Amino acid sequence: MNDRSAAPSPSSLGTGFALLAFASVAGAQVCPTPESIEDLPDHREYSPYAGRTFPDRPLWGDTHLHTNLSMDAGLFGNRLGPEEAYRFARGEEVRSSTGQPVRLYRPLDFLVVADHSDGMGFFNDLAQGTPNILKDPMGKRWYQGFQEGGQAAVDATLDLITNFSQGKISDALLADYQPGSKNYASLWSDVVDTAEKYNEPGRFTAVIGFEWTSLIQGNNMHRVVMFRDNGDKAKQVVPMVMTPPFGSPDPRDLWKYLADYEAKTGGDVLAIPHNGNLSNGIMFRMSDQWNGREFDQEYIEQRAKWEPLYEVTQIKGDGEAHPFLSPNDEFADYENWDVGNLDLSAAKTNDMLAGEYAREALKRGLLLEDRFGVNPYKFGMIGSTDSHTSLMTTREENFWGKHAGTEPSEHRWKHPFAKTEHGALEGWQPTASGLAAVWADENTREGIFDAMERKEVYATTGTRIGVRFFGGWEFSDADLNTRTPARVGYMKGVPMGADFPERTGDASPSFLVYALKDAIGANLDRIQIVKGWVDADGNAQEKVYDVAWSGDRQADANGKVPAVGNTVDHATATWRNTIGASELATVWTDPDFDPALDAFYYARVLEIPTPRWVLYDAVYYGFELPDHIPTTGQERAYTSPIWYSAK
């Protein structure tokens, strides 16, 4: 391992760590008696694990999965409901909607079934041709298309989705699938009961939630709503929708719904935005909302209160960074979706990008904090799938696509995900991503929710890399001499998602960061720390530092480390872990710190290159891919930031 702070080599990381737990005892030059041991300075128990109060492993989950209760999922052929989704997430083998056997390589620890609140259950009635559907001209037309099958069914699906995204479906047609109807209340009760059935505290957590699907003329402003509570409280409300007159597309109204829920039930709830990359610039604006309403103190404070997290990576593209915004970051081009908005009803322009990506949003948050005293974009980062198959699959060799029409087949890479006169999102572009890693005290609804609220979470693109990230004022290289870095991290600093403690003396921020490879995954390439700050002229800046890396590579004059190499065998869709490292660790101190300037820092961990799902498909089905289709990528993790405030 190499890094800018000359940390120990990989071999030294494997020896002598247990001694740190009782180094103060050894230094006393005597053998303490049981009676005297409590009197020793800086006392620690012999067992380094006794009395441990901090989270000792990340819990892995998906906060964003759709079943056939979601209108679009059902329209695209999903025939699996919440029961199958929970069974699959718990590790059982199921049959997919296309009849293929499928199973996870490791179960999840938790799952949020987050079906769309608008039109929940609509498709099941449409497929049956219930009277309330057939009496509406649109409903009858769509039903006839599904009965005919083939291209007529595809056309009916696209027509329904287009009309919904543009707000052109009649209120009467959706009345039974909106708040206020007995049908809707009964359906929500069933959703909650199913979550209760599969919730097993300590083993598997079924978190109650839904997706509020706000669309502004095809521009994405979706949020997943996630409850901390059990069914007795969740049943006291029904999900909020975005369709007037039953609901609203305005986040201000969603936040009011969340506040009303907490006031009514005494419970806890939060909202998680996602896919800013499909919002055409309206997800992270700087001065006003999409409708021109200026930001005010209430908006800033409410967004900060109710939205502590951002889903930074998922099937519809990665949202950490973009090359246009971060031209000096050679890894900013990972799985970007930048053609247009959600339904490609409007093309993307470069001026929209700054309102769409997480890193830029974090920078904008610092600027808004200067104006309002509160940072509305002070979020932690998680990943999730947004799969509409009821199957959350994030590994490249086990990827079941966005919806049932993109489950494994020799043709799925050919069919555009979306295509209009404004451009196309090709069938090979969906990303096998992502996962939410949560440093929770216990595998329960309460434990997971509390960790999310304090932002002690991180995102991965589907791999299960273990990452610890701590910030403080006095970390040193000696702190690497332990197999339990979290013990030192919590003792001397704060974890990911937190604010720096008050500065001591003239110290610069130091960080202890540790990464461990996925047990059956690829080796690690490098750890980077991404810094964002507001300079003395009031401009937001960023810099990416390589801080730890594998092998004997040397950083150049600009601090850039060469590429790790590539062992992928395209003929067999395999790779070898003959490059990279199984673990990386370092203590890094910011060499450019200015105590007068607000800043944030987060860690990005990269694996060595591995095959994308399209290469696995090509080898399995025996076809050739065109040269322009990327066949490899570097899976990664993004931690939640740690913030420094000059105030």
Side-chain angles (χ1 to χ4, degrees):
M1 178 183 69
N2 293 297
D3 68 83
R4 292 163 63 102
S5 57
S9 66
S11 60
S12 71
L13 289 173
T15 59
F17 295 99
L19 298 178
L20 186 66
F22 48 88
S24 60
V25 175
Q29 302 293 316
V30 296
C31 181
T33 65
E35 292 77 18
S36 64
I37 193 168
E38 294 291 344
D39 298 326
L40 290 172
D42 192 25
H43 164 66
R44 299 188 183 97
E45 301 293 350
Y46 180 91
S47 171
Y49 315 110
R52 182 167 56 191
T53 58
F54 54 81
D56 59 2
R57 69 181 182 93
L59 300 178
W60 296 97
D62 186 351
T63 65
H64 190 177
L65 182 72
H66 294 270
T67 75
N68 64 0
L69 293 180
S70 288
M71 182 164 54
D72 52 353
L75 288 167
F76 279 113
N78 185 0
R79 299 299 177 261
L80 306 182
E83 292 253 359
E84 290 88 350
Y86 288 124
R87 287 174 45 220
F88 181 74
R90 286 164 59 103
E92 295 183 37
E93 182 173 307
V94 302
R95 287 275 174 178
S96 76
S97 294
T98 55
Q100 303 177 70
V102 56
R103 186 174 185 174
L104 288 176
Y105 86 112
R106 280 185 292 183
L108 289 186
D109 296 302
F110 67 92
L111 176 68
V112 183
V113 170
D115 280 308
H116 295 300
S117 55
D118 282 86
M120 189 182 291
F122 176 86
F123 172 76
N124 292 335
D125 285 355
L126 176 63
Q128 297 174 34
T130 56
N132 62 317
I133 298 287
L134 295 182
K135 70 180 181 181
D136 184 276
M138 276 188 173
K140 186 175 182 179
R141 183 172 76 244
W142 297 328
Y143 172 75
Q144 291 172 340
F146 282 110
Q147 291 299 106
E148 184 176 338
Q151 188 60 44
V154 174
D155 292 342
T157 297
L158 296 175
D159 185 57
L160 193 160
I161 292 173
T162 299
N163 278 282
F164 177 77
S165 66
Q166 299 298 323
K168 296 180 179 179
I169 298 180
S170 70
D171 294 342
L173 183 56
L174 291 177
D176 287 332
Y177 312 96
Q178 300 284 16
S181 71
K182 291 182 179 180
N183 178 69
Y184 196 75
S186 175
L187 181 61
W188 175 243
S189 180
D190 290 343
V191 167
V192 173
D193 286 344
T194 306
E196 296 287 76
K197 174 182 176 180
Y198 284 93
N199 188 53
E200 189 177 345
R203 178 176 179 267
F204 176 82
T205 299
V207 183
I208 299 167
F210 65 88
E211 182 176 0
W212 177 73
T213 316
S214 175
L215 276 176
I216 308 300
Q217 295 183 330
N219 299 332
N220 181 79
M221 290 206 306
H222 298 184
R223 269 83 165 166
V224 167
V225 173
M226 178 176 147
F227 298 90
R228 184 180 189 267
D229 310 305
N230 297 328
D232 58 335
K233 292 182 179 178
K235 282 187 178 183
Q236 294 182 42
V237 298
V238 294
M240 178 180 172
V241 298
M242 62 82 62
T243 309
F246 311 102
S248 166
D250 193 334
R252 291 177 187 255
D253 294 320
L254 174 66
W255 303 331
K256 184 178 184 302
Y257 165 90
L258 303 180
D260 289 345
Y261 168 81
E262 290 196 349
K264 178 178 182 178
T265 68
D268 290 289
V269 65
L270 58 78
I272 308 171
H274 60 271
N275 277 123
N277 60 327
L278 300 177
S279 72
N280 274 12
I282 69 172
M283 180 64 79
F284 301 114
R285 290 176 67 86
M286 273 296 291
S287 61
D288 59 7
Q289 295 181 251
W290 87 97
N291 56 8
R293 183 176 177 182
E294 290 290 325
F295 287 171
D296 53 24
Q297 194 70 31
E298 181 187 41
Y299 178 92
I300 297 296
E301 292 177 356
Q302 291 295 295
R303 182 153 187 170
K305 172 181 173 64
W306 296 112
E307 300 184 1
L309 303 179
Y310 180 59
E311 183 186 299
V312 71
T313 184
Q314 63 135 267
I315 288 174
K316 300 197 301 295
D318 192 80
E320 184 234 355
H322 190 280
F324 179 80
L325 303 170
S326 303
N328 296 321
D329 180 0
E330 67 269 39
F331 298 104
D333 63 346
Y334 182 76
E335 302 285 2
N336 296 134
W337 280 33
D338 54 8
V339 177
N341 58 359
L342 181 62
D343 60 2
L344 291 185
S345 59
K348 187 87 65 195
T349 56
N350 285 340
D351 62 295
M352 298 174 180
L353 296 172
E356 299 195 336
Y357 284 83
R359 188 184 303 173
E360 195 69 23
L362 292 167
K363 289 155 58 178
R364 287 184 162 196
L366 297 179
L367 293 168
L368 287 167
E369 186 173 13
D370 287 343
R371 290 171 51 196
F372 292 96
V374 177
N375 183 345
Y377 304 144
K378 193 174 183 179
F379 51 73
M381 292 194 279
I382 61 169
S384 285
T385 63
D386 195 10
S387 169
H388 282 54
T389 64
S390 303
L391 310 170
M392 63 73 47
T393 55
T394 64
R395 289 186 63 85
E396 304 289 338
E397 79 280 9
N398 192 33
F399 180 51
W400 289 67
K402 169 69 174 178
H403 55 75
T406 58
E407 290 185 359
S409 77
E410 61 182 308
H411 305 296
R412 64 171 170 167
W413 67 275
K414 298 179 183 178
H415 301 301
F417 179 86
K419 187 174 184 178
T420 70
E421 68 273 17
H422 300 295
L425 292 165
E426 302 296 344
W428 49 265
Q429 287 186 282
T431 311
S433 189
L435 283 172
V438 177
W439 289 106
D441 298 317
E442 57 184 12
N443 189 1
T444 62
R445 288 168 173 165
E446 298 82 3
I448 291 166
F449 187 97
D450 293 348
M452 290 183 170
E453 273 205 325
R454 67 177 183 265
K455 306 168 192 173
E456 197 171 354
V457 298
Y458 64 98
T460 83
T461 55
T463 181
R464 299 197 188 188
I465 305 172
V467 186
R468 287 288 200 184
F469 183 53
F470 296 93
W473 299 107
E474 54 183 27
F475 287 119
S476 67
D477 291 346
D479 294 328
L480 295 174
N481 297 326
T482 175
R483 297 309 298 171
T484 57
R487 186 185 185 102
V488 181
Y490 286 106
M491 184 185 305
K492 298 176 66 174
V494 296
M496 61 182 77
D499 293 295
F500 263 92
E502 186 175 350
R503 187 177 183 227
T504 56
D506 59 356
S508 294
S510 60
F511 299 88
L512 189 158
V513 57
Y514 173 83
L516 181 67
K517 72 180 288 292
D518 186 323
I520 64 169
N523 279 345
L524 305 178
D525 168 13
R526 68 187 73 197
I527 300 174
Q528 300 176 307
I529 290 182
V530 179
K531 176 185 177 181
W533 73 98
V534 176
D535 65 24
D537 296 322
N539 300 311
Q541 307 289 350
E542 68 173 63
K543 187 171 182 178
V544 181
Y545 300 87
D546 288 321
V547 299
W549 55 90
S550 62
D552 58 1
R553 293 172 287 167
Q554 298 296 317
D556 64 19
N558 296 316
K560 295 287 187 180
V561 175
V564 68
N566 193 325
T567 66
V568 173
D569 182 342
H570 286 71
T572 59
T574 59
W575 82 95
R576 291 174 296 148
N577 273 333
T578 53
I579 58 174
S582 61
E583 61 180 357
L584 293 171
T586 195
V587 167
W588 177 81
T589 300
D590 181 0
D592 306 309
F593 176 62
D594 184 334
L597 305 178
D598 294 341
F600 65 81
Y601 304 81
Y602 66 88
R604 180 172 66 183
V605 183
L606 278 71
E607 291 183 348
I608 65 172
T610 49
R612 289 184 79 242
W613 64 269
V614 289
L615 185 57
Y616 285 108
D617 278 18
V619 171
Y620 181 83
Y621 292 108
F623 61 79
E624 294 289 330
L625 285 167
D627 292 340
H628 70 279
I629 296 178
T631 54
T632 66
Q634 288 189 255
E635 302 266 8
R636 55 199 64 194
Y638 312 117
T639 72
S640 293
I642 298 173
W643 287 268
Y644 166 75
S645 174
K647 304 177 185 63

